[in-house]
Amino acid sequence: MTELATEASVPAAEEVAPSTSPSSQPTPPPSASETVLPEPAPVQYDVDDLTRGFVASLRPPLDQVSAKLQELNESQLTMIAKLQSETTKITTLPDIELITQTLSQVNTYQSKAAQLRRDMSALSERMAKLKKRAAAAQQRKVQAEAHIADQRDKMMARERQLTAQPSKTLLTKESSVNTTAASSSTPKTS
């Protein structure tokens, strides 16, 4: 391909050579904008050598790719043979109808299991909420009982304070009267 491009870009010797006929006009001298380049000499390439070099540079990768493709084809053939033998084994099973019927029900059972899983998850969430509410209710009950007991204790203490208590002086006079009365009621023995 590069050979064709180089050959196409190089003009043929006949086209490049200025005509020497007397009728042609002399060419004006080149201006500053037109520079005349010397014409390259035609290059001769040996097409066979170029082809051999190109093929030689690409042959090792092509050989590797073709070897890999051959290996892949062989492995595919062995895989196809194994699949066919397994298919014949499966189709010749005595209970194949029962197996296919059971396998067709797998999707149904999977969806049922997924639904049960969702239901159990929802129930466990509800149970956790109920346990939390029960614990809060139990705590409120304990607090209410403690409050009632405190109120009862306060009321009892207030009743004790409000209950009439004899004064200490009255108690001392009563005890002295009781002791004198007891002494007078006992007979004197001399």
Side-chain angles (χ1 to χ4, degrees), residues 82-94 96:
K82 286 180 182 178
L83 285 174
Q84 286 175 347
S85 68
E86 292 297 319
T87 303
T88 55
K89 285 180 187 177
I90 289 174
T91 56
T92 58
L93 286 175
I96 190 68

Side-chain angles (χ1 to χ4, degrees), residues 107-141:
N107 289 336
T108 306
Y109 290 127
Q110 282 180 338
S111 63
K112 285 182 180 180
Q115 183 62 37
L116 283 174
R117 207 175 300 123
R118 286 191 296 269
D119 291 345
M120 291 299 289
S121 176
L123 286 174
S124 65
E125 287 177 14
R126 287 178 60 195
M127 286 299 295
K129 288 178 183 177
L130 287 174
K131 283 181 182 180
K132 192 174 182 180
R133 285 178 55 195
Q138 179 68 26
Q139 186 178 8
R140 285 193 304 269
K141 181 180 177 184

Side-chain angles (χ1 to χ4, degrees), residues 165-178:
Q165 296 177 356
S167 68
K168 291 184 183 180
T169 57
L170 184 63
L171 285 176
T172 54
K173 285 184 188 177
E174 259 184 40
S175 63
S176 64
V177 171
N178 284 341

Side-chain angles (χ1 to χ4, degrees), residues 132-151:
K132 192 174 182 180
R133 285 178 55 195
Q138 179 68 26
Q139 186 178 8
R140 285 193 304 269
K141 181 180 177 184
V142 168
Q143 287 175 348
E145 288 175 355
H147 181 69
I148 290 171
D150 286 344
Q151 291 293 329

